[in-house]
């Protein structure tokens, strides 16, 4: 019937093993009443292993990772096209990936990413809210209306592997290390009139420029380029390249 709900709760001490490359999805199985709301609440361990492909948590599903939980990706890719909320540790082994490709990602108090694998945004349009603790890679796509803090001791890598990286009316506050590298420009854009993009490098923060690309405001929507501001109270360091930014 209408407005029904499906909830999977992985409680503290519980282990939810993902041993395949399939999709967690909500569907209209009745043909009349629409798909139910589908929620996964994790306070135990969610572990992806034994496969090298991609497990997708569909965009219409809410994935809530709690403070006592652990998301552990030992192999393959765990993909979130609709975002998630995290208040606990997420461990990604070398060669494995956690990909955020759409929706809103809320990195709450208690969130921390670790491991030698990929944890980041490879493509799509994503809204990032909260604080990066650990490491985060941005290698493609667009940040939309984001307000992200890179915490002291944490690393944010900006590397446009297939083109430019675009910040649409977003705020990036750095207290850790930002590495801007690779072939992509860093573009401030807007979706309407009089919007703003602000990058703040706080005292103690390091913003490493490791390429020869452009930091620019552009009219990405037809409403004019945003105001684009870079406020530096830390260290901006240009190294590893001999050209011009």
């Amino acid at each position: 019937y209408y407005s029904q709900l499906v909830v999977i709760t992985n409680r503290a001490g519980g282990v939810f093993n993902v041993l395949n490359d399939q999709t967690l999805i909500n569907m209209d199985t009745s043909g009349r009443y629409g798909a139910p709301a589908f929620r996964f609440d994790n306070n135990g361990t969610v572990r992806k292993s034994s496969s090298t492909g991609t497990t997708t948590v569909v965009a219409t599903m809410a994935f809530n990772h709690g403070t006592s939980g652990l998301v552990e990706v030992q192999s393959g890719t765990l993909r979130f096209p609709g975002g998630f909320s995290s208040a606990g540790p997420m461990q990604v082994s070398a060669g494995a990936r956690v990909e955020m490709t759409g929706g809103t990602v809320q990195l709450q108090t208690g969130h921390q990413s670790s491991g030698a694998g990929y944890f980041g945004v490879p493509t799509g349009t994503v809204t990032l809210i909260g604080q990066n603790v650990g490491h985060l890679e941005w290698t493609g796509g667009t940040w939309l209306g984001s307000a992200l803090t890179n915490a002291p001791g944490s690393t944010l890598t900006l590397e446009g592997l297939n083109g430019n990286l675009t910040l649409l009316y977003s705020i990036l506050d750095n207290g850790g290390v930002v590495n801007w590298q690779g072939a992509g420009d860093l573009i401030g854009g807007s979706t309407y009139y009089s919007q703003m993009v602000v990058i703040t490098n706080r005292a103690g923060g390091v913003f490493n420029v490791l390429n020869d690309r452009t930091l620019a405001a552009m009219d990405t929507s037809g409403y004019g380029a945003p105001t684009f501001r870079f406020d530096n109270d830390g260290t901006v360091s240009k190294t590893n390249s001999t050209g011009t930014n």
Side-chain angles (χ1 to χ4, degrees):
Y1 202 65
Y2 299 110
S3 304
Q4 292 182 335
L5 179 65
V6 176
V7 180
I8 299 174
T9 301
N10 191 37
R11 299 202 179 277
V15 179
F16 192 99
N17 286 313
V18 180
L19 306 174
N20 56 21
D21 302 319
Q22 299 299 315
T23 300
L24 199 57
I25 187 171
N26 55 341
M27 297 178 64
D28 182 359
T29 53
S30 66
R32 298 181 60 189
Y33 301 111
F38 194 179
R39 197 178 79 222
F40 193 114
D41 297 332
N42 180 52
N43 281 296
T45 296
V46 173
R47 178 181 296 121
K48 178 171 169 60
S49 62
S50 302
S51 62
T52 58
T54 300
T55 298
T56 301
V57 180
V58 295
T60 51
M61 180 176 180
F63 187 94
N64 304 310
H65 177 43
T67 55
S68 64
L70 170 67
V71 173
E72 183 182 16
V73 182
Q74 296 182 352
S75 63
T77 299
L78 183 59
R79 181 174 295 153
F80 294 92
F84 60 85
S85 66
S86 174
M90 304 184 81
Q91 297 177 2
V92 190
S93 298
R97 296 172 68 90
V98 171
E99 296 183 350
M100 299 158 266
T101 60
T104 298
V105 175
Q106 298 186 50
L107 303 180
Q108 301 171 345
T109 300
H111 165 81
Q112 183 171 9
S113 59
S114 63
Y118 180 95
F119 178 83
V121 179
T123 188
T125 299
V126 179
T127 300
L128 285 153
I129 303 294
Q131 180 168 258
N132 172 51
V133 177
H135 66 95
L136 175 66
E137 289 77 49
W138 180 19
T139 54
T142 299
W143 288 10
L144 171 68
S146 295
L148 182 73
T149 297
N150 189 44
S154 301
T155 301
L156 171 62
T157 300
L158 312 179
E159 183 175 12
L161 295 179
N162 298 302
N164 298 332
L165 302 176
T166 303
L167 292 156
L168 295 177
Y169 67 96
S170 293
I171 297 171
L172 172 59
D173 194 306
N174 179 48
V177 175
V178 173
N179 292 320
W180 178 24
Q181 60 195 44
D185 295 337
L186 189 55
I187 304 299
S190 63
T191 60
Y192 202 63
Y193 299 110
S194 303
Q195 292 180 337
M196 180 176 285
V197 175
V198 180
I199 298 175
T200 301
N201 192 39
R202 300 209 175 272
V206 178
F207 194 101
N208 288 315
V209 180
L210 306 173
N211 57 17
D212 302 319
R213 306 304 299 180
T214 300
L215 190 64
M218 295 180 63
D219 182 358
T220 54
S221 63
Y223 293 104
T227 301
F228 195 178
R229 201 177 77 218
F230 192 115
D231 297 332
N232 180 51
D233 286 299
T235 299
V236 175
S237 175
K238 178 171 169 61
T239 58
N240 290 12
S241 62
T242 59
T244 301
N245 288 85

